[in-house]
Amino acid sequence: MIRKNQSILNFLNMASDTFLIFLSYSLAMFLRLEVLNGNTQMDLLGLRCQLLAAGCAVLVVFLYYLLQLYSSYRFKANVGEALKIFLVNGVVSLAFMAVLYLIRIADFPRLAIVFFWLISSLLVILKRTLAWGVLRYYRSLGYNQKQVAILGNGHLARQYLEDIRQNPQLGVTVTGYISREKRPELGKCLGSYEDLEKILERHKLDELIIALEPHETQFMKPALAVADKEGIRLSLIPFYNDYIPPHPTIDAIGRTRLINMRATPLDNLGWAMVKRLMDLFGSLMLIILTSPIMVIAAIGVKISSPGPILFRQKRVGKDKKPFTMLKFRSMSVTRSEKTGWTTKDDPRKTRFGSFIRKFSIDELPQLFNVLVGDMSLVGPRPEVPFHVRHFKEEVSLYLVRQQVKPGMTGWAQVNGLRGDTSIEDRVQYDIWYIENWSLGLDIQILLRTAFGGMVNREELTPKRKEEKADG
């Protein structure tokens, strides 16, 4: 039943996308020719253009299909889909304009193409977002359920069952489990491993979840054979599940399958380019917007105490490569160099320095680190080499942070882990960010930083020193 429902949903999804994209052409032309008082003599709403727009809509939907945008919505996040939709619609819009130019229908206004791209993208994304929300709510009420059974009764089976129970919006119902031993906390026992074929014949299941423990791997091969014989879809929870990151990659060398245990979304060149472009445009825009603040801060630093305006310090960046991080100097220049901890009342801090640290104004020069590529707007905060050498021996997975560029702000920071806070907790937040990176997550962190994360509350409590006195 669930496969039939999915087929119907996919058809409706494709048909509605086609209609919305075709409708976007008429809306774009109306906006350009009527609302903005363009050249109303151009025949851009005629039959030939309408046919081209219809063909354009079909082409876009076909490309969506190739990019797997019509698969199940149960376990998918829609941020990545939105980016794909914007890119596909942009490319097809340019192709549409090129065709209109080649067949000499009219001197096609480029602004209309921009309208078509934006309107079609926004309408499709809005429709999918609404449909995604409605389906999740509908499934949370117990409708459109996927019927599954679990093969196994150990730790993995319990973990899967708990995760399903905590996410009713996924629409997954566990009919029962299959095992030699009964575990009442897992629900209904459908039978033993040897009864698998009869169980699959008796129950109308959409999927079989194999959650065998390491000592039960001898049942794997017969279970796969029986499931294939009965035409039941399979999903496998490997017994080393707890060690696998959220987004692993699998490479094949002959019959050998290699699981990259430290794969991250940013290993994908396309996503890495998107993040870099966001860093470039974001840092340029922020440099322009904050330039008056930086000028005032530079004057304030110079007046408040003798010494350089900028504080330069070696930090460890991506792939453990050192770089020079910039900050506005907030402490007096001394001949001694300390690597200890400072407090709110540290005598080296100037009054103006305390002010710019409280509102994170001292961090603004790092926008130039982002611009040249040493840092990112969002990422784990960089540390000095001394602390990196120290923490890598004491904190598990500490150097995993160095797989991405350090950031001006990060997931740990917007969750309150700044200054003198637990290094272990900070590392866990940083690793979660690296393994679950998405463009939407970066935007969320930037917004949380802008609306509430700029005030440096660590100035009110003792904290670990980031600046060493410049000798």
Side-chain angles (χ1 to χ4, degrees):
M1 179 61 71
I2 197 70
R3 297 183 191 177
K4 182 179 179 180
N5 291 342
Q6 188 62 50
S7 298
I8 295 173
L9 288 174
N10 287 345
F11 174 78
L12 292 175
N13 203 8
M14 295 173 71
S16 58
D17 282 350
T18 304
F19 171 75
L20 288 175
I21 295 168
F22 178 74
L23 177 65
S24 299
Y25 173 79
S26 297
L27 292 175
M29 295 306 105
F30 175 78
L31 184 61
R32 175 64 180 87
L33 302 180
E34 299 293 334
V35 177
L36 298 183
N37 297 321
N39 185 357
T40 57
Q41 301 302 315
M42 290 189 292
D43 186 24
L44 299 179
L45 292 173
L47 180 61
R48 285 194 299 174
C49 286
Q50 294 282 6
L51 289 175
L52 280 174
C56 182
V58 172
L59 175 61
V60 170
V61 171
F62 177 69
L63 292 176
Y64 288 172
Y65 178 80
L66 293 181
L67 291 173
Q68 299 180 339
L69 293 181
Y70 294 109
S71 55
S72 174
Y73 276 81
R74 290 178 193 270
F75 308 109
K76 290 171 63 176
N78 53 9
V79 175
E81 281 194 354
L83 182 61
K84 290 180 181 178
I85 289 168
F86 266 108
L87 291 176
V88 169
N89 289 15
V91 170
V92 173
S93 297
L94 291 175
F96 182 53
M97 183 171 65
V99 170
L100 289 175
Y101 175 78
L102 290 174
I103 61 179
R104 304 291 182 182
I105 287 182
D107 183 14
F108 201 88
R110 285 172 290 184
L111 186 58
I113 286 295
V114 175
F115 287 155
F116 174 62
W117 170 49
L118 294 176
I119 293 172
S120 62
S121 300
L122 292 175
L123 285 180
V124 171
I125 291 171
L126 179 61
K127 183 221 72 174
R128 284 171 165 260
T129 302
L130 291 174
W132 185 71
V134 169
L135 282 174
R136 287 170 71 89
Y137 175 72
Y138 186 67
R139 287 164 178 160
S140 70
L141 298 178
Y143 301 101
N144 190 233
Q145 297 291 297
K146 175 188 283 190
Q147 301 294 327
V148 306
I150 306 173
L151 188 70
N153 69 352
H155 160 69
L156 296 174
R158 289 195 301 272
Q159 181 174 279
Y160 173 78
L161 190 59
E162 290 172 2
D163 289 339
I164 291 301
R165 287 171 177 170
Q166 292 173 7
N167 294 276
Q169 75 280 0
L170 297 178
V172 177
T173 296
V174 178
T175 303
Y177 68 97
I178 303 164
S179 175
R180 285 179 169 175
E181 299 178 6
K182 292 186 177 181
R183 298 284 176 86
E185 67 272 18
L186 293 180
K188 181 180 179 181
C189 181
L190 304 178
S192 183
Y193 297 135
E194 292 78 10
D195 305 322
L196 180 59
E197 186 170 353
K198 294 180 181 178
I199 293 170
L200 296 183
E201 290 176 350
R202 185 170 35 230
H203 297 275
K204 294 182 178 180
L205 299 174
D206 296 300
E207 192 170 357
L208 178 66
I209 308 296
I210 298 181
L212 296 172
E213 298 297 318
H215 65 278
E216 298 175 313
T217 53
Q218 69 270 24
F219 301 114
M220 179 80 70
K221 187 174 181 180
L224 294 173
V226 170
D228 288 339
K229 179 181 177 181
E230 296 298 324
I232 300 294
R233 294 193 178 191
L234 283 166
S235 287
L236 173 67
I237 305 176
F239 61 81
Y240 45 87
N241 171 79
D242 295 343
Y243 302 99
I244 299 178
H247 305 285
T249 58
I250 300 177
D251 297 318
I253 303 177
R255 295 171 296 174
T256 304
R257 305 294 182 264
L258 299 175
I259 300 178
N260 188 331
M261 300 295 285
R262 286 298 162 213
T264 72
L266 287 173
D267 290 336
N268 182 288
L269 181 60
W271 286 120
M273 291 177 63
V274 168
K275 184 172 175 63
R276 180 59 186 146
L277 286 173
M278 186 175 76
D279 285 340
L280 280 172
F281 288 113
S283 60
L284 278 172
M285 181 178 67
L286 288 172
I287 287 171
I288 294 171
L289 292 176
T290 62
S291 56
I293 299 174
M294 285 196 278
V295 170
I296 294 172
I299 296 172
V301 170
K302 196 65 178 175
I303 294 175
S304 63
S305 67
I309 293 173
L310 293 177
F311 175 81
R312 296 175 170 84
Q313 188 179 53
K314 288 293 182 183
R315 296 289 176 106
V316 179
K318 183 182 177 184
D319 299 325
K320 298 183 284 187
K321 294 179 180 178
F323 70 97
T324 301
M325 192 182 78
L326 304 176
K327 296 176 69 173
F328 283 123
R329 182 174 57 82
S330 59
M331 295 186 181
S332 301
V333 176
T334 65
R335 294 189 175 277
S336 62
E337 186 175 279
K338 299 180 180 179
T339 58
W341 301 65
T342 64
T343 65
K344 174 189 173 184
D345 300 319
D346 193 309
R348 294 170 298 167
K349 288 195 303 184
T350 65
R351 182 175 298 179
F352 186 77
S354 295
F355 172 78
I356 62 175
R357 287 170 73 104
K358 181 178 180 180
F359 295 99
S360 299
I361 296 173
D362 63 319
E363 309 282 353
L364 289 179
Q366 290 164 37
L367 289 169
F368 294 96
N369 287 118
V370 175
L371 187 63
V372 300
D374 292 330
M375 294 178 64
S376 175
L377 291 174
V378 182
R381 285 295 294 165
E383 290 285 0
V384 297
F386 171 82
H387 289 307
V388 171
R389 290 192 298 268
H390 175 69
F391 290 136
K392 79 173 185 178
E393 302 295 338
E394 296 188 358
V395 182
S396 176
L397 305 178
Y398 183 80
L399 285 184
V400 174
R401 303 166 74 252
Q402 312 307 135
Q403 291 187 355
V404 299
K405 289 180 182 179
M408 292 185 65
T409 185
W411 185 238
Q413 283 65 47
V414 297
N415 282 283
L417 296 171
R418 298 185 62 170
D420 185 15
T421 54
S422 170
I423 297 298
E424 291 80 5
D425 290 346
R426 207 182 309 180
V427 169
Q428 291 302 315
Y429 274 84
D430 287 339
I431 292 176
W432 186 91
Y433 165 79
I434 293 169
E435 293 179 342
N436 294 274
W437 179 88
S438 69
L439 190 62
L441 180 60
D442 269 6
I443 294 173
Q444 176 189 344
I445 292 171
L446 289 172
L447 290 175
R448 288 180 62 177
T449 300
F451 298 99
M454 297 299 292
V455 177
N456 191 349
R457 303 185 188 280
E458 67 181 80
E459 283 295 307
L460 304 178
T461 58
K463 63 181 181 177
R464 180 170 51 81
K465 179 171 116 26
E466 283 195 347
E467 276 191 28
K468 293 183 295 182
D470 191 8

